[in-house]
Amino acid sequence: MQQKVISVLSFFVLSSLLPQGIGNQPNIVLLFADDLGYGDLSYYGHPTSNTTNLDTLASQGLVFSQFYTASPVCSPSRAAILTGRLQTRTGVWPGVFVPPNKGGLPHNETTIAEMLKPLGYKSAIVGKWHLGVGENGNFLPTNHGFDYYMGIPYSHDMCPCPICFYPNAGCLSGCDRAYSPCPIFENDKIVQQPADFTHMALKYSGAATSFIKSNAASKTPFFLYMAFQHTHKPQFSGQEFVNSSIRGPFGDSLSELDWQVGEIMEALHESGVSDDTFVFFTADNGPSLHMGPHGGNGGLLRCGKGTTWEGGQREAAIAWWPNMISPGRTASLAATVDLLPTIAKITGATKPNVSLDGYDMSPILFHSKPGLREAYFYYPKNPDPSKGLYAVRNQQYKAHYYQEGSHCQNTYPDIVCRSNYSERAVDPPELYNLLNDPSEVYPIDGTSDEYKSVMAELNKLKDEFEKGMVWGESQMHAGSSSSLNPCASPGCTPFPSCCKTPPTEKWRNDLWHHTTSSHIP
Ligand SMILES: *[C@@H]1O[C@H](CO)[C@@H](O)[C@H](O)[C@H]1NC(C)=O
Ligand SMILES: *[C@@H]1O[C@H](CO)[C@@H](O)[C@H](O)[C@H]1NC(C)=O
Ligand SMILES: *[C@@H]1O[C@H](CO)[C@@H](O)[C@H](O)[C@H]1NC(C)=O
Ligand SMILES: *[C@@H]1O[C@H](CO)[C@@H](O)[C@H](O)[C@H]1NC(C)=O
Ligand SMILES: *[C@@H]1O[C@H](CO)[C@@H](O)[C@H](O)[C@H]1NC(C)=O
């Protein structure tokens, strides 16, 4: 009896803690940048980036300083944000999908779009999917719960180099000539091949804003997953942004990303739904140091993309929802896998009945309280069941059990980041205190009592976590076939370089209709 009273009481206490609006089917907008470093936004300290729209979002929202992505590379990171499960569970390991792959995100996984469908949500993804295409496009987003898709279904360097800057100013990057020209899909059809990068941002934001406006008009709750092609290499932008940034081509691309954010925010305001929309911005992994000054910047964090140093997996992150989320900063630990449980909470959706790796972020977002997450578990770009975790963080402490450099020039000053710094066990593990040493440069003395007691705890946590990890069957091992290169003119020769859409301007003209160019400088 007494227990019942307590649980009824705690129910009232808990529900009164939930702000009004929750459970009323707010819209969800997830803004996901590509290969953007922790130090790349002007709000996060970059001296020459021009990200005014993201800065506005940050000044009106909650800014995270210890937010993690599930993987230091694209596909696994994307699988995790959409399913709330680490890539080791979903089978999106090792590495990333390439265009001729047969595999993709397994259909038995539940994406945020699928989770929201029973509540009447409409979902769209605009931009980079990177969770497989497969035979007859059976892994495309429209087969994973999305009602609409427009974009290149993988990285835009997985195709021969496109024209990136106008007029023909080059791309500053190598691209893969073995694959077909970059295709832009609309749902499961190729609408443009090769993709025209000089108008891509306009097309992407046009698709995103018309999705927002039409759902707002019909009062349909929506989930927009805006997966920017920016700022992955090769850098590109429309004519309006070429040479617009004092930072150079990376700055031009980033400014164009920021412009797209502005278009989306304006569409939310203009359609009168901004008060009912939860917006979250972050990125898939750290900066590609391989690109040197033409790549991103991890700020004070060590190394970048492809590594389990902080620069590979800690990201800028901003949560925005007027009157619901108080503006400010938080040092609470949180991660991309926390988004699915958080979105389930704020929409009233039923979470998929599977092992999830995330925590509901409501205490951080709505109550200015510390979050539920105390630990973070780092798998490398190529997880291997025989090695397991590369690093474990618990509260302030992070131990490295394995290290490997990646996506980095071999002349980079810090040798552990370099691509030619091969994988190795770190034995005894290196231990850092990330609260006073976020740059991971002062390892804690291995003979100290602090080291011994902290390592005993971290080793235990690691063992328990690994015992509970059920590895999904690798989808990268499903094989590949050159014939799976997306092709708008099947049967053409020489395949796949001949793949092209017919020379018509129709599609481009159609898209111009639902774009607003008010923000183009
Ligand atoms: C950012 O861009 C705006 C608009 O194009 C311009 O007025 C401003 O000077 C730029 N700021 C920096 C720091 O580049
Ligand atoms: C951008 O700047 C480069 C280098 O100064 C120059 O070669 C190029 O013509 C400029 N492009 C445009 C569109 O102004
Ligand atoms: C969740 O799955 C477990 C086993 O996988 C099953 O026993 C349980 O009944 C399921 N719960 C619901 C609510 O479907
Ligand atoms: C990595 O490459 C740099 C530059 O070529 C070279 O000096 C260095 O010895 C290489 N390191 C290893 C471990 O091969
Ligand atoms: C989906 O199926 C794969 C086997 O193909 C399995 O490894 C994975 O655990 C399954 N996922 C779920 C959520 O049931």
Side-chain angles (χ1 to χ4, degrees), residues 62 64 330 332-334 361-372:
L62 184 65
F64 289 77
T330 178
S332 276
L333 293 195
M361 294 190 282
S362 297
I364 312 172
L365 298 178
F366 307 121
H367 311 300
S368 307
K369 291 210 161 115
L372 303 170

Side-chain angles (χ1 to χ4, degrees), residues 150 184 186 191-192 203 505-511:
M150 203 254 274
I184 296 187
E186 191 169 34
V191 289
Q192 193 184 52
K203 285 170 185 145
E505 291 297 295
K506 182 179 178 305
W507 181 68
R508 181 187 296 177
N509 291 336
D510 283 351
L511 268 148

Side-chain angles (χ1 to χ4, degrees), residues 6-221:
I6 291 172
S7 67
V8 168
L9 261 178
S10 63
F11 172 78
F12 280 115
V13 171
L14 276 176
S15 32
S16 67
L17 282 176
L18 290 178
Q20 281 187 328
I22 286 204
N24 280 347
Q25 307 200 334
N27 309 307
I28 310 290
V29 174
L30 183 51
L31 306 170
F32 207 40
D34 197 351
D35 288 8
L36 187 76
Y38 184 79
D40 272 320
L41 303 186
S42 38
Y43 200 86
Y44 277 78
H46 199 284
T48 54
S49 288
N50 200 349
T51 49
T52 46
N53 292 304
L54 283 165
D55 295 351
T56 302
L57 201 69
S59 66
Q60 299 171 352
L62 184 65
V63 174
F64 289 77
S65 61
Q66 305 202 75
F67 188 88
Y68 288 99
T69 177
S71 169
V73 289
C74 293
S75 301
S77 174
R78 285 154 202 269
I81 198 169
L82 288 178
T83 62
R85 281 154 59 79
L86 289 176
Q87 58 275 21
T88 40
R89 295 190 205 278
T90 58
V92 182
W93 63 274
V96 303
F97 292 112
V98 293
N101 276 160
K102 289 190 176 146
L105 179 67
H107 290 111
N108 60 358
E109 295 292 337
T110 306
T111 63
I112 294 172
E114 286 165 324
M115 178 179 83
L116 295 176
K117 200 166 274 256
L119 300 179
Y121 276 74
K122 286 272 181 248
S123 295
I125 156 173
V126 176
K128 173 171 161 178
W129 168 241
H130 217 176
L131 290 172
V133 178
E135 280 165 285
N136 304 313
N138 65 341
F139 288 109
L140 286 170
T142 42
N143 295 318
H144 276 292
F146 288 93
D147 301 293
Y148 180 78
Y149 174 45
M150 203 254 274
I152 298 177
Y154 35 77
S155 303
H156 58 277
D157 63 346
M158 294 180 172
C159 12
C161 249
I163 295 170
C164 294
F165 286 101
Y166 183 90
N168 303 0
C171 299
L172 306 161
S173 164
C175 297
D176 209 317
R177 306 208 152 262
Y179 302 140
S180 54
C182 294
I184 296 187
F185 279 76
E186 191 169 34
N187 300 322
D188 57 355
K189 298 270 176 313
I190 297 174
V191 289
Q192 193 184 52
Q193 188 175 30
D196 170 6
F197 282 74
T198 61
H199 294 95
M200 186 177 292
L202 200 57
K203 285 170 185 145
Y204 278 12
S205 36
T209 53
S210 60
F211 175 76
I212 290 171
K213 287 174 186 167
S214 66
N215 285 296
S218 64
K219 304 216 181 317
T220 309

Side-chain angles (χ1 to χ4, degrees), residues 126 211 225 256 305 354 362 373 511:
V126 176
F211 175 76
Y225 172 39
E256 193 171 58
K305 179 175 182 178
V354 293
S362 297
R373 177 178 287 288
L511 268 148

Side-chain angles (χ1 to χ4, degrees), residues 410-411 418 420-421 424:
N410 289 336
T411 49
R418 293 178 179 175
N420 70 0
Y421 189 82
R424 65 201 65 193

Side-chain angles (χ1 to χ4, degrees), residues 395-456:
Q395 299 182 41
Q396 70 266 50
Y397 293 109
K398 175 180 175 186
H400 289 251
Y401 295 87
Y402 286 91
Q403 287 168 353
E404 181 180 19
S406 189
H407 290 80
C408 183
Q409 295 181 350
N410 289 336
T411 49
Y412 191 76
D414 187 349
I415 63 165
V416 301
C417 310
R418 293 178 179 175
S419 292
N420 70 0
Y421 189 82
S422 54
E423 178 196 70
R424 65 201 65 193
V426 186
D427 190 17
E430 261 169 46
L431 182 66
Y432 295 95
N433 178 338
L434 294 182
L435 296 191
N436 61 23
D437 178 22
S439 307
E440 300 173 279
V441 286
Y442 305 114
I444 292 170
D445 176 3
T447 61
S448 65
D449 290 344
E450 181 186 20
Y451 181 91
K452 286 172 197 154
S453 66
V454 170
M455 279 314 302

